[in-house]
Amino acid sequence: MAATESRHQCLIYDGPPSRHLRALAAVAQQKLAENYRCFYLNSPPLVAGMRSYLAATGVDVTHEVAKASLVLRSDQRHLVKGCFSIERMMWTLEDALNQALADGYKGLWATGDMTWEFGSEKNFVKLLEYERQLEDFFHRYPEIVGICQYHVDTLPREAIRQGFVAHESLFLNDTLSRI
């Protein structure tokens, strides 16, 4: 990623979520090579898809998961009684970053899909506050890099708009971003 690009990017997409897994896997492969711990949060089918795409790019997924360089999670520990908790999600990210740094990694690359992260409650009123806290987190910790995924087919139009304005940079693919 070029120095002028934002470390906190937004991927806005439509159609099947699996369509952008190849690009995300390419970024994860690059970040693994740069000694970042990679943290992928999504539904069980998309975690399985990410495993497949990473393996197809030559990543030894079993080895990377075993040594904790690669964390593929589909649990929703950040939810409280099925409801999205900004505080719990921020704690999850901060804990993951601190653990990565303590384990000798350069930093943490994290990505997750907003529809999945918000759980069944789908209370997107919290979205702008969450993105504001994420942006503050990215400013405090230069060791974190990430991509927030916004699925046009599953999110309200206002949530997409908020996601768009909350990020300085749009992730277009593994080699192209728009600031």
Side-chain angles (χ1 to χ4, degrees):
M1 193 178 307
T4 59
E5 290 181 14
S6 171
R7 292 176 298 106
H8 180 202
Q9 296 183 308
C10 182
L11 165 62
I12 298 175
Y13 70 96
D14 61 359
S18 58
R19 207 170 71 192
H20 67 272
L21 283 179
R22 175 177 287 130
L24 290 173
V27 174
Q29 179 186 32
Q30 173 191 346
K31 292 301 176 189
L32 286 168
E34 294 172 2
N35 195 37
Y36 279 82
R37 176 170 284 157
C38 293
F39 196 56
Y40 180 79
L41 304 168
N42 215 320
S43 67
L46 288 170
V47 166
M50 179 58 98
R51 279 180 175 277
S52 295
Y53 275 103
L54 285 167
T57 66
V59 172
D60 183 344
V61 176
T62 303
H63 175 72
E64 296 297 340
V65 168
K67 71 177 197 171
S69 294
L70 180 61
V71 179
L72 302 170
R73 279 192 22 202
S74 60
D75 63 69
Q76 291 182 311
R77 294 180 227 175
H78 60 280
L79 300 180
V80 176
K81 296 180 182 175
C83 299
F84 181 74
S85 167
I86 295 171
E87 295 76 24
R88 178 124 359 135
M89 189 64 188
M90 294 307 300
W91 178 86
T92 298
L93 289 171
E94 188 166 10
D95 185 56
L97 174 61
N98 288 335
Q99 191 60 56
L101 294 172
D103 291 344
Y105 291 92
K106 180 178 178 180
L108 179 73
W109 176 78
T111 186
D113 193 286
M114 292 305 180
T115 302
W116 176 84
E117 282 185 28
F118 269 73
S120 58
E121 177 194 28
K122 307 257 185 276
N123 180 1
F124 295 106
V125 188
K126 301 174 185 177
L127 180 63
L128 200 53
E129 177 59 21
Y130 172 53
E131 287 290 3
R132 187 193 65 71
Q133 287 190 32
L134 268 177
E135 189 63 22
D136 289 346
F137 184 72
F138 276 78
H139 283 286
R140 277 194 323 271
Y141 299 102
E143 304 89 356
I144 188 157
V145 181
I147 300 171
C148 298
Q149 302 169 43
Y150 283 76
H151 190 183
V152 172
D153 300 340
T154 62
L155 291 168
R157 184 174 303 216
E158 182 58 21
I160 300 295
R161 190 188 72 70
Q162 288 176 2
F164 183 74
V165 299
H167 295 83
E168 294 177 1
S169 175
L170 289 177
F171 176 86
L172 301 175
N173 61 46
D174 54 313
T175 59
L176 187 61
S177 295
R178 183 170 185 116
I179 298 175

